[in-house]
Amino acid sequence: MTTQSNPTTISIKVSFEKSLNKTGLPLLQTQKNGYNLYFLLDTGANKNYIRRDFLDIPELNADTEFLPDKEEFYGIDNVCHLTETCSFSFCLANLSYIETYQVIEDGSALTFPTTNGVPFHVVGILGTPFMIKYNTIINFATSEMIFNTPKVAKEP
């Protein structure tokens, strides 16, 4: 991971080569309270999504705020009912990213096969709201993603 800064943004370049080789997907590894969290970057997702079972871990949901909105999420091969919307934060390069997510009750929708046959569980999906907010560039040729974070992001 490399970080560059200018007067208005901090550019963070992250490699996703390992996850691409393991799952065939661009996964972002983040951290929160000592836990490594993996999010799928999905350019086709019009919202951010997070698994309910990860929110049930006390160390991960300490600052999670549940909001009154309700919706449904339709997966590729099953339907997951969203009961809540929440605000959740994670850290990347010593910056805190606070986003709104639709909560997915059935975490199996975010489990992917790997090259060694062991299922890989991601915490959630970072969709277009996240990518637009952070002017995200996903480069499959170099297996890198770049986030251009406004300097207003808080340091934890």
Side-chain angles (χ1 to χ4, degrees):
M1 178 177 346
T2 60
T3 305
Q4 294 180 325
S5 184
N6 71 37
T8 59
T9 62
I10 299 170
S11 292
I12 302 168
K13 186 186 292 187
V14 180
S15 172
F16 61 88
E17 185 174 12
K18 278 185 177 180
S19 73
L20 194 60
N21 291 338
K22 186 175 184 175
T23 64
L25 300 168
L27 301 178
L28 175 64
Q29 181 182 348
T30 66
Q31 296 209 341
K32 182 163 185 174
N33 296 335
Y35 284 80
N36 286 324
L37 309 176
Y38 292 86
F39 286 88
L40 170 65
L41 271 78
D42 186 347
T43 60
N46 62 352
K47 295 189 182 219
N48 300 316
Y49 299 95
I50 195 163
R51 292 170 58 156
R52 161 68 70 195
D53 54 339
F54 282 94
L55 294 176
D56 290 340
I57 300 170
E59 297 83 2
L60 295 180
N61 73 6
D63 62 349
T64 301
E65 177 186 352
F66 288 92
L67 308 170
D69 301 339
K70 296 187 184 224
E71 250 180 70
E72 287 186 344
F73 163 73
Y74 295 88
I76 293 173
D77 34 353
N78 62 358
V79 175
C80 300
H81 296 280
L82 300 179
T83 57
E84 297 173 275
T85 301
C86 75
S87 173
F88 180 82
S89 67
F90 61 80
C91 288
L92 179 64
N94 293 323
L95 294 174
S96 181
Y97 291 80
I98 302 169
E99 299 299 319
T100 300
Y101 297 84
Q102 297 298 313
V103 179
I104 298 174
E105 294 292 335
D106 180 4
S108 66
L110 295 177
T111 301
F112 301 98
T114 61
T115 54
N116 65 5
V118 178
F120 190 84
H121 307 282
V122 299
V123 172
I125 294 173
L126 297 174
T128 54
F130 178 89
M131 289 184 247
I132 289 169
K133 183 176 180 180
Y134 299 107
N135 192 21
T136 304
I137 299 166
I138 303 173
N139 186 336
F140 280 91
T142 62
S143 299
E144 294 176 324
M145 51 188 98
I146 300 171
F147 305 97
N148 295 295
T149 306
K151 287 256 176 129
V152 295
K154 299 185 302 182
E155 293 194 25

